[in-house]
Amino acid sequence: VPDASDGAALGTSSLEFSDLFLADAAVINLGDDQDVTLTHVVDTGILLSSTDRFQFGDAGTFIHQSSDGVLTIESDTTVDINAAVVFDGALTGLLQ
């Protein structure tokens, strides 16, 4: 048990733990006020809380659910897709 908020670490830079086992529907709370959570969705995957986002490199490159049913991929300059792309729905906003 930590002696203060942000007062303890699990392991060190030279003495790391190897595995972590969590139960079905486990929640990892992040932040002093637990404003970001990762929740295990049984037999499905992981759920990121609310409108939070996964950032890559800096705050300008991220993936998030911008509104119900909408997945937004944002980047400062370019999003590279290096594989075949299959669209199953309407395409909007394309340059001609």
Side-chain angles (χ1 to χ4, degrees):
V1 175
D3 58 2
S5 181
D6 198 21
L10 290 174
T12 68
S13 60
S14 60
L15 296 171
E16 308 89 0
F17 288 93
S18 60
D19 297 308
L20 175 65
F21 298 89
L22 301 172
D24 282 349
V27 177
I28 299 173
N29 295 286
L30 302 165
D32 288 345
D33 56 356
Q34 296 78 48
D35 56 328
V36 177
T37 61
L38 287 175
T39 303
H40 172 251
V41 180
V42 180
D43 300 327
T44 301
I46 297 172
L47 174 66
L48 178 64
S49 55
S50 186
T51 57
D52 297 322
R53 57 177 95 170
F54 283 107
Q55 292 182 198
F56 303 90
D58 61 36
T61 305
F62 57 86
I63 298 172
H64 76 119
Q65 183 180 17
S66 53
S67 61
D68 187 27
V70 178
L71 180 66
T72 299
I73 301 172
E74 184 78 30
S75 180
D76 293 328
T77 56
T78 304
V79 174
D80 290 332
I81 299 174
N82 296 309
V85 177
V86 176
F87 292 99
D88 185 15
L91 298 177
T92 61
L94 296 176
L95 299 175
Q96 298 294 333

